[in-house]
Amino acid sequence: MGLFITFEGPEGSGKSTQARLLYERIQALGYPVILTREPGGTRISELIRRILVDLRHTEMAPTTETLLFSAARAQLVSELVRPYLNTGGIVLCDRYADSTFAYQGYGLGRDLDELHAITTIATGGLQPDLTFYLDLDVEAGLQRKRWARDRGSEASKAVSSSGPPAEWNRLDARDLAYHQRVAAGFAELIRNNPERWRRCSAEQPLDQLAEQIFAAVEPILERVARLEPH
Ligand code: TYD
């Protein structure tokens, strides 16, 4: 069984950039690795993502939202994550089930035990080996994302230096109090399970943060066999 590493954090914390930097570094070392994201990562899950982030879908009920995130996750886990882990590879995922507890649980007030049951159905109980929390003041993060939206694609690249530009979506558009409940929720999740989490400041320079993340991953890379050189 390979290695499953996830990235969490508030909007605009630069998770996607850090996930990509780690991916490139691990790949350059010759390890089998894939990078994916939630919601999304497979054809079906990306279609579900479009429904979830659409700014027009203001009428979406919290239960619908929770089940759609979970449906996207079920597809990603069964189609991509589990099969790749079973080959002994490393899976990096930009957000995972912790986001459901933080956003739908602490943010929207869904019952945490219910979320636990739904998440177990969706993932078969698959837990990350390691989760990075990129810590950033909620207001600062939303500001970064709004700034990217208002300044167009060039500025978006500053937030997300690779991959698609940051988008302003239905879930970002929720009020500050919601995003603050989410951040407090993540803090609680970290307190409940400190050995799985690494909390890193997202306010430090990008390269320094990337070094901190790699330093935490390096010791466990030995669990994975490198690819044979061609
Ligand atoms: P995205 O643009 O990918 O945001 P980010 O760059 O911050 O990851 O949009 C994903 C949004 O979905 C983000 O606001 C967090 C939210 N989300 C949930 O509410 N529940 C979940 O289970 C997941 C995976 C994401």
Side-chain angles (χ1 to χ4, degrees), residues 9-12 15-16 37-39 49 53 65 69 73 94-101 103-104 145 167 169 171-172 174 178-179:
E11 325 302 301
K15 283 177 295 82
S16 313
R37 69 164 178 182
E38 274 217 40
R49 177 191 178 90
V53 300
E65 181 176 307
F69 276 116
R73 180 166 306 132
D94 183 354
R95 294 198 185 281
Y96 185 58
D98 294 304
S99 280
T100 292
F101 290 96
Y103 285 86
Q104 282 65 52
K145 241 190 156 177
E167 55 185 4
N169 63 45
L171 301 145
D172 301 321
R174 289 184 170 153
Y178 170 77
H179 290 284

Side-chain angles (χ1 to χ4, degrees), residues 4-213:
F4 186 27
I5 300 173
T6 58
F7 290 80
E8 302 283 357
E11 325 302 301
S13 60
K15 283 177 295 82
S16 313
T17 301
Q18 290 298 330
R20 177 151 299 276
L21 289 172
L22 182 64
Y23 167 77
E24 285 165 2
R25 191 151 176 187
I26 291 177
Q27 193 183 42
L29 290 170
Y31 289 97
V33 58
I34 55 170
L35 171 62
T36 188
R37 69 164 178 182
E38 274 217 40
T42 68
R43 195 165 59 90
I44 292 169
S45 311
E46 289 289 336
L47 288 172
I48 298 172
R49 177 191 178 90
R50 278 204 231 160
I51 301 171
L52 279 163
V53 300
D54 194 323
L55 283 165
R56 293 167 304 176
H57 293 170
T58 51
E59 75 278 32
M60 191 182 293
T63 305
T64 312
E65 181 176 307
T66 303
L67 292 172
L68 284 176
F69 276 116
S70 302
R73 180 166 306 132
Q75 186 63 31
L76 179 69
V77 167
S78 79
E79 185 180 332
L80 193 67
V81 177
R82 262 194 204 281
Y84 202 74
L85 291 174
N86 286 339
T87 68
I90 302 167
V91 178
L92 307 182
C93 194
D94 183 354
R95 294 198 185 281
Y96 185 58
D98 294 304
S99 280
T100 292
F101 290 96
Y103 285 86
Q104 282 65 52
Y106 293 93
L108 286 186
R110 304 295 302 174
D111 181 81
L112 295 177
D113 290 334
E114 246 176 59
L115 291 183
H116 198 265
I118 294 169
T119 300
T120 304
I121 294 170
T123 64
L126 180 69
Q127 291 262 25
D129 296 291
L130 190 61
T131 301
F132 290 99
Y133 185 72
L134 271 51
D135 203 356
L136 180 69
D137 172 68
V138 170
E139 265 180 280
L142 287 171
Q143 200 52 46
R144 278 196 202 178
K145 241 190 156 177
R146 244 184 247 119
W147 178 77
R149 172 198 60 177
D150 294 344
R151 298 281 300 276
S153 60
E154 203 182 310
S156 300
K157 287 196 199 112
V159 173
S160 166
S161 72
S162 52
E167 55 185 4
W168 183 257
N169 63 45
R170 186 178 66 85
L171 301 145
D172 301 321
R174 289 184 170 153
D175 66 9
L176 183 61
Y178 170 77
H179 290 284
Q180 277 163 343
R181 286 197 300 279
V182 169
F186 273 124
E188 176 91 23
L189 292 170
I190 296 168
R191 268 198 300 279
N192 292 343
N193 207 349
E195 60 292 343
R196 173 163 66 85
W197 291 83
R198 299 289 178 278
R199 195 172 187 154
C200 308
S201 167
E203 274 166 90
Q204 58 185 316
L206 198 138
D207 291 356
Q208 198 177 306
L209 176 53
E211 280 306 319
Q212 190 183 349
I213 290 173

